[in-house]
Amino acid sequence: MKRTFEVEPWNVVTHTFKNDSENKRLQESMTSLGNGYMGMRGFFEEDYSGDTLPGIYLGGVWFPDKTRVGWWKNGYPEYFGKVVNAVNFIKMNFMINGAKLDLATDQISDFELNLDMKQSLLTRSFVVTKGDAKVSFTFERFLSVAQQELSVQRVTVKNVGSTDAKITVDSAIDADVSNEDANYDERFWEVLNTSQSDDSGYVISKTKENPFGTPRFTVGMEMRHHTDFETAKTSQPSEKEVVNEFTADLKAGETRQIEKRVIVVTSRDYDTDNELTSAMTKLSDQVSGSSYDDLFGAHAKVWADRWEKSDVQIDGDNESQQGIRFNLFELFSTYYGEDARLNIGPKGFTGEKYGGATYWDTEAFAVPVYLGITDPEVTRNLLMYRYKQLDGAYHNAKQQGLDGALFPMVTFDGIECHNEWEITFEEIHRNGDIAFAIFNYTRYTGDTSYVLNEGAKVLTEISRFWADRVHFSERNQKYMIHGVTGPDEYENNVDNNWYTNILAQWTLKYTLEILDQVSPKRAEDLAVSDDEKKKWQDIVDWMYLPYDKDLNIFVQHDGFLDKDIQPVSSLSEEKDLPLNQKWSWDKILRSPYIKQGDVLQGIWDFIDDFTPEQKKANFDFYEPLTVHESSLSASIHSVLAADLHYEDKAVELYERTARLDLDNYNNDTVDGLHVTAMTGGWIAVVQGFAGMRVNDDKLHFAPFLPKKWDRYSFRQVFRDRVIEVNVDKSGASFKLIDGEPITIDVDGKDVELTK
Ligand code: BGC
């Protein structure tokens, strides 16, 4: 655990600039901004000669990077899709009396770096002393949520010294960028066209040709400036970069300002390069007429609406408050459901690991949150995203010689592009998680239109996959699934992972129920034969689910109980943890340590189907073996701990999930934020502390207040209603904010809510 920012309810702020690689990258990750359409790490506008990871990413703009593995295995995906580190459009270099500003070497004071989460504004200010000159800089930037193609920067420069200072600004769009994690150090952009005038310029670039036939993307970026600096000249240092230069002679005490507005358009929205170029110019013209305050005001208003709908307020514990706001802020910065073609990458726009692609994280962890805080349409879009990728899922199943559809572990277009065999081929529980999300959407919203149509198709094809992937063990007279990786990636190639088996069984059962309800026309299209249905029912009836009678626990997989089982508390914090950074991979695999919920992930999914004794026995056995080295782990364990009234554990795990990145719990936030795990704070508060469940068409709560807190409140969307839940020392209260009267269940009793 390592804290680099101060604790403030609405801000991620620090007054210390740490000029070393680890801290610099941590600061960049934690000050990332995004607006769903594009996003960026909090790297500096100006060049920084120390270690930095400049990263700007555009939603859905990716490149198929040829697979790189030591030893090729049949069935490996040919490429790993990667969101492309975009052309750098925020670049602005400053010269003070001819010497370049560089925070790696300059002498600075009064440093402040502040991410204002309420308004989504990043500011950085400091005073630099260079020779005789002393100059203060304030950088501001935001990515507009009111106009998603728009990025706005403003820099205020003040001469705070006693002598004159000549300030020069080189403001650029630079296409000479690369992905740090490119497999072959390739650059993914080629420049098609550039143009510039004195105070504006544009670059049109296109992702390089690739041998895999995936789409190429054209991106246009146009910058315009508003300033009281003088325009000095325009230059093009290389064919990949356009630069506008501005100068000002600042007398002592004088201030100047420069504003840079950039419009970013992509071929995802325009059919031809001509249409794209004219849209870019038209949008630039439109925003030119508005003042900074107008543009910022429109942006801040949208954020204010979002917060009104979804803020979780916590009184009495600022660390917890800051944590959950940071979670929701970064989650919404990545995805707010505006573009049904997009999804939620595990690192969002904050880093390159995981390639910005779609993982099972979306269905398992993000869907429950979006169902609770946004319109059902948002989740429906996420479900449609998978439906539209069925062709890719057929391809993946075929690669493994199997029927039906295998949704990918990692993808942009439905085709699997993860290239570690134990995940690509084996982590197939994802197929069940995608089916489960359909069930979740349907039970939360009461809307059956998806499950009876597109959903029925997805479920059928997933079921066909499961029916082919299981085998019948004559010896045991049971269906089994061998050679899998469960959610706990610290075990590979195991047999009968309980979680995978139960999800496969559940999917087949649910699909059979749905097939009974679809229209005759839909049934005809699905063409599930009676023999198929019989086989599916047989698998449901005879699926093997490892269970240990003495311990009364579900067994993670066949060999698990033969391990040397010692709790995590027997390990040394210093020598052993985190395991993935201290131990060799084989040692991890043979150990009993669990990366993230596996059996407990299943118990969370089906939380109301188990008895309190079963939940307790499994939690008490597995949680002490869990290292929570996946960011996705702590939240669901917090819910289960709360369900079992283990309040201290629930709170400890809440803090771990809500402040995972702010406190760098897993020592890997330098790579970027764990955006899909940013769902964790909400899951822990709402499902854990407030005990929210949806069953039998009804919303249930069983709230308690953590001892350290004075109060918490949140809003929950449920079937055209918005309900506000407030829990304080005197108890819980519920208010209907929007929609028709509704009866909810609180601690087992009906409560009528009217406006
Ligand atoms: C986890 C996976 C997850 C991936 C992306 C891994 O560390 O084990 O469950 O899908 O990260 O978040």
Side-chain angles (χ1 to χ4, degrees):
M1 174 170 159
K2 174 173 180 173
R3 182 168 295 169
T4 33
F5 283 85
E6 294 155 30
V7 174
E8 269 201 29
W10 277 112
N11 296 288
V12 175
V13 59
T14 176
H15 292 87
T16 319
F17 174 53
K18 294 202 179 134
N19 202 0
D20 64 278
S21 168
E22 189 195 346
N23 283 298
K24 175 73 171 69
R25 285 187 179 227
L26 277 175
Q27 289 190 344
E28 290 174 0
S29 296
M30 285 188 255
T31 52
S32 296
L33 287 180
N35 66 3
Y37 177 87
M38 57 185 165
M40 60 180 70
R41 291 168 57 79
F43 68 101
F44 295 166
E45 286 79 353
E46 74 280 10
D47 294 345
Y48 171 77
S49 61
D51 182 50
T52 169
L53 173 56
I56 303 183
Y57 309 95
L58 311 178
V61 175
W62 62 282
F63 187 79
D65 200 14
K66 187 164 177 270
T67 298
R68 182 169 196 144
V69 287
W71 203 277
W72 188 265
K73 292 188 171 63
N74 266 352
Y76 266 151
E78 294 176 296
Y79 57 82
F80 194 113
K82 282 174 187 162
V83 70
V84 186
N85 197 346
V87 170
N88 181 353
F89 58 79
I90 65 162
K91 188 167 170 179
M92 291 174 96
N93 274 313
F94 289 81
M95 246 77 68
I96 302 169
N97 294 331
K100 194 168 172 185
L101 177 71
D102 177 4
L103 262 51
T105 49
D106 285 339
Q107 190 201 329
I108 60 165
S109 63
D110 302 287
F111 180 80
E112 184 183 272
L113 177 64
N114 185 20
L115 175 67
D116 169 350
M117 299 186 280
K118 198 173 201 170
Q119 312 190 87
S120 187
L121 175 73
L122 180 64
T123 55
R124 174 170 57 110
S125 53
F126 53 88
V127 173
V128 59
T129 307
K130 245 176 150 41
D132 294 341
K134 198 170 176 191
V135 182
S136 99
F137 283 86
T138 303
F139 290 79
E140 295 162 283
R141 72 169 99 137
F142 66 93
L143 294 173
S144 174
V145 276
Q147 166 88 61
Q148 291 192 308
E149 297 89 348
L150 175 66
S151 153
V152 181
Q153 293 161 258
R154 181 163 76 175
V155 188
T156 309
V157 186
K158 183 170 183 192
N159 183 348
V160 291
S162 48
T163 58
D164 291 358
K166 180 174 176 177
I167 311 291
T168 310
V169 192
D170 280 349
S171 177
I173 300 180
D174 180 5
D176 195 16
V177 288
S178 57
N179 276 55
E180 190 173 64
D181 71 343
N183 284 345
Y184 298 90
D185 293 334
E186 239 182 302
R187 300 206 163 223
F188 300 144
W189 292 112
E190 56 191 44
V191 172
L192 298 185
N193 195 4
T194 59
S195 163
Q196 64 199 126
S197 66
D198 283 354
D199 60 358
S200 67
Y202 69 72
V203 174
I204 314 272
S205 45
K206 188 167 185 165
T207 52
K208 276 176 55 174
E209 206 151 348
N210 72 77
F212 309 109
T214 65
R216 295 175 69 189
F217 298 94
T218 307
V219 173
M221 296 177 176
E222 177 161 347
M223 61 175 171
R224 304 222 183 151
H225 298 89
H226 296 242
T227 184
D228 50 10
F229 275 72
E230 291 145 36
T231 311
K233 60 175 190 242
T234 155
S235 72
Q236 183 150 14
S238 81
E239 57 188 25
K240 291 191 159 187
E241 185 175 8
V242 294
V243 181
N244 294 143
E245 190 176 298
F246 305 87
T247 52
D249 287 309
L250 259 67
K251 301 216 174 330
E254 266 186 1
T255 302
R256 295 282 165 93
Q257 220 167 41
I258 177 159
E259 227 189 89
K260 177 176 186 179
R261 297 174 188 180
V262 181
I263 288 288
V264 178
V265 287
T266 81
S267 55
R268 293 175 63 249
D269 297 317
Y270 301 97
D271 289 336
T272 64
D273 289 354
N274 277 347
E275 282 174 38
L276 178 142
T277 311
S278 54
M280 177 179 74
T281 304
K282 197 167 142 214
L283 289 171
S284 297
D285 288 346
Q286 268 170 22
V287 295
S288 277
S290 307
S291 68
Y292 178 93
D293 288 347
D294 286 348
L295 295 173
F296 182 66
H299 159 78
K301 186 172 172 308
V302 179
W303 269 101
D305 289 349
R306 290 179 176 186
W307 284 120
E308 194 187 326
K309 285 196 187 117
S310 50
D311 187 27
V312 177
Q313 292 177 9
I314 297 172
D315 292 350
D317 182 353
N318 277 344
E319 292 178 12
S320 292
Q321 176 67 84
Q322 184 188 35
I324 197 154
R325 290 210 173 114
F326 188 58
N327 281 194
L328 293 172
F329 173 77
E330 290 293 349
L331 191 65
F332 294 167
S333 300
T334 308
Y335 187 82
Y336 204 72
E338 290 96 342
D339 185 341
R341 297 165 298 174
L342 297 180
N343 208 287
I344 312 153
K347 294 241 172 269
F349 300 117
T350 72
E352 295 179 9
K353 197 171 170 200
Y354 303 122
T358 306
Y359 281 61
W360 75 298
D361 304 29
T362 295
E363 282 77 11
F365 298 91
V367 158
V369 178
Y370 285 100
L371 280 172
I373 51 184
T374 56
D375 293 338
E377 201 55 28
V378 172
T379 309
R380 201 187 157 95
N381 283 343
L382 290 171
L383 302 184
M384 282 302 286
Y385 177 94
R386 296 291 191 178
Y387 171 73
K388 290 183 182 152
Q389 295 191 347
L390 260 169
D391 283 345
Y394 294 139
H395 165 93
N396 304 330
K398 213 157 151 205
Q399 285 288 96
Q400 302 197 356
L402 294 166
D403 287 345
L406 173 59
F407 284 92
M409 189 63 182
V410 179
T411 199
F412 283 94
D413 57 1
I415 307 261
E416 176 63 68
C417 65
H418 196 290
N419 37 43
E420 282 173 10
W421 66 271
E422 62 274 25
I423 292 177
T424 310
F425 303 148
E426 296 205 326
E427 209 176 328
I428 53 176
H429 67 79
R430 59 195 186 242
N431 239 15
D433 296 294
I434 288 166
F436 189 77
I438 299 175
F439 163 73
N440 234 348
Y441 170 82
T442 311
R443 74 166 155 172
Y444 265 76
T445 62
D447 167 22
T448 54
S449 66
Y450 180 81
V451 72
L452 296 180
N453 294 292
E454 296 88 349
K457 179 77 180 155
V458 172
L459 289 170
T460 298
E461 299 302 347
I462 292 178
S463 291
R464 287 187 166 132
F465 172 84
W466 285 131
D468 202 16
R469 182 62 167 80
V470 303
H471 70 274
F472 190 69
S473 157
E474 285 295 337
R475 194 159 74 96
N476 296 285
Q477 290 292 300
K478 290 274 186 188
Y479 287 96
M480 296 191 160
I481 307 182
H482 279 193
V484 301
T485 297
D488 170 17
E489 291 174 349
Y490 286 179
E491 301 241 39
N492 300 150
N493 203 35
V494 300
D495 295 338
N496 292 313
N497 169 252
W498 179 82
Y499 181 70
T500 308
N501 287 19
I502 199 170
L503 269 187
Q505 180 195 46
W506 174 86
T507 309
L508 291 162
K509 189 161 154 271
Y510 184 54
T511 308
L512 287 167
E513 277 167 34
I514 294 301
L515 289 179
D516 279 345
Q517 298 167 40
V518 297
S519 68
K521 166 84 183 64
R522 174 64 54 188
E524 199 184 317
D525 291 348
L526 297 171
V528 184
S529 69
D530 287 345
D531 280 353
E532 260 186 308
K533 286 190 194 164
K534 223 166 115 220
K535 166 100 192 273
W536 296 1
Q537 188 59 52
D538 204 47
I539 301 171
V540 171
D541 294 342
W542 298 103
M543 176 62 93
Y544 170 61
L545 296 170
Y547 170 70
D548 185 86
K549 210 157 135 252
D550 295 339
L551 296 167
N552 186 25
I553 60 164
F554 305 114
V555 183
Q556 186 164 312
H557 62 80
D558 281 349
F560 193 87
L561 290 181
D562 297 329
K563 291 180 173 239
D564 177 14
I565 293 176
Q566 305 292 334
V568 176
S569 58
S570 67
L571 300 175
S572 143
E573 279 282 338
E574 202 195 318
K575 284 206 310 252
D576 302 314
L577 297 170
L579 299 182
N580 61 18
Q581 291 166 26
K582 306 268 173 69
W583 282 14
S584 77
W585 187 239
D586 67 300
K587 187 170 177 184
I588 292 178
L589 290 179
R590 63 193 137 81
S591 83
Y593 302 117
I594 301 173
K595 181 182 182 190
Q596 66 202 97
D598 197 299
V599 166
L600 295 182
Q601 179 79 26
I603 294 199
W604 175 62
D605 281 347
F606 303 108
I607 193 162
D608 295 314
D609 296 349
F610 301 104
T611 64
E613 293 72 33
Q614 282 175 316
K615 289 189 263 193
K616 180 169 166 17
N618 282 283
F619 188 89
D620 290 353
F621 181 79
Y622 287 111
E623 201 284 328
L625 300 175
T626 307
V627 284
H628 302 294
E629 287 178 14
S630 160
S631 61
L632 300 169
S633 188
S635 59
I636 61 136
H637 287 83
S638 175
V639 176
L640 294 174
D643 189 72
L644 292 167
H645 307 289
Y646 293 164
E647 183 184 326
D648 291 345
K649 192 76 195 169
V651 172
E652 174 200 319
L653 290 164
Y654 164 80
E655 284 165 3
R656 184 165 179 140
T657 185
R659 298 193 56 89
L660 183 100
D661 286 314
L662 284 176
D663 290 342
N664 195 15
Y665 268 98
N666 288 349
N667 196 25
D668 59 0
T669 298
V670 280
D671 295 338
L673 303 173
H674 299 83
V675 170
T676 43
M678 295 278 176
T679 51
W682 190 93
I683 290 174
V685 169
V686 176
Q687 294 188 13
F689 305 157
M692 189 277 291
R693 311 270 182 274
V694 175
N695 276 323
D696 305 324
D697 292 320
K698 207 171 189 181
L699 195 55
H700 303 249
F701 290 99
F704 73 90
L705 181 71
K707 283 191 280 292
K708 325 172 140 164
W709 296 3
D710 295 331
R711 184 188 79 90
Y712 65 93
S713 67
F714 61 89
R715 286 183 175 188
Q716 165 85 36
V717 174
F718 183 68
R719 305 202 175 184
D720 299 326
R721 277 63 162 218
V722 178
I723 294 159
E724 190 169 272
V725 180
N726 188 77
V727 185
D728 60 24
K729 296 204 156 129
S730 63
S733 58
F734 300 83
K735 195 162 142 195
L736 183 65
I737 302 293
D738 201 12
E740 297 292 308
I742 184 171
T743 304
I744 61 169
D745 169 291
V746 181
D747 291 324
K749 293 197 197 76
D750 277 356
V751 174
E752 306 283 331
L753 298 182
T754 50
K755 266 214 205 144

